[in-house]
Amino acid sequence: MTLLQNLLSSSIASLAILAASPAWAYDFGANPGPSMVFVTQSSCHFCDRLDEQVISPLEASGFFDEQQVDLVRLSIDPGHRVTNFAGEAQSAVQFASQFGAYGTPTLLFFDGQGQLTQAPLYGVPDAIDFYGYKIEQAISDLN
């Protein structure tokens, strides 16, 4: 084998190992504080819109830090896994669906004990300007 063939062969093997490894998204058991979970997936343009126009600006402003709330971007893409509040590993899809997040984008609000504090917020409204206010209200209920 030539050097190039060896490099290509080892690169392909490394990629296969990476593809077979689960993507760990978050350990909820190790982070017991209040959290806002943004359930998203890579093919969701509504998720991108919500993140760019509402969530990232709130994050950049320091809002989540001020409120002492963890912002969790939870991808439900295939292979993504989490450790739930009980310390058990499960797929991100299983975790999200047990709390009513059956599509993306969905926002889930948890208190420090891992309990939902309100019904999930689904989708992106046409009047996205008021969505930031809804998030701020939901987070103020966590504290």
Side-chain angles (χ1 to χ4, degrees):
M1 266 191 183
T2 68
L3 178 60
L4 181 58
Q5 288 172 324
N6 281 335
L7 286 174
L8 286 174
S9 177
S10 72
S11 295
I12 291 170
S14 296
L15 287 174
I17 290 169
L18 286 174
S21 302
W24 288 95
Y26 196 74
D27 185 347
F28 288 94
N31 299 288
S35 59
M36 182 184 90
V37 178
F38 173 34
V39 182
T40 184
Q41 59 186 330
S42 59
S43 61
C44 174
H45 71 277
F46 290 111
C47 300
D48 295 340
R49 181 175 172 223
L50 179 61
D51 195 10
E52 291 168 7
Q53 294 181 9
V54 179
I55 294 174
S56 286
L58 282 173
E59 182 179 28
S61 76
F63 174 75
F64 296 105
D65 291 335
E66 289 171 11
Q67 298 297 315
Q68 298 179 345
V69 171
D70 288 333
L71 168 61
V72 180
R73 287 177 173 86
L74 180 65
S75 172
I76 60 169
D77 286 331
H80 287 243
R81 301 185 58 76
V82 300
T83 301
N84 64 22
F85 293 106
E88 302 163 338
Q90 67 183 146
S91 75
V93 170
Q94 290 171 321
F95 177 85
S97 64
Q98 77 187 32
F99 294 105
Y102 300 109
T104 58
T106 300
L107 297 179
L108 304 170
F109 299 90
F110 293 100
D111 64 17
Q113 288 72 48
Q115 301 298 312
L116 280 178
T117 59
Q118 70 169 52
L121 293 178
Y122 300 106
V124 179
D126 289 334
I128 199 165
D129 298 338
F130 297 106
Y131 211 69
Y133 175 75
K134 280 183 151 183
I135 291 171
E136 290 172 1
Q137 287 301 113
I139 287 178
S140 70
D141 291 345
L142 292 175
N143 296 322

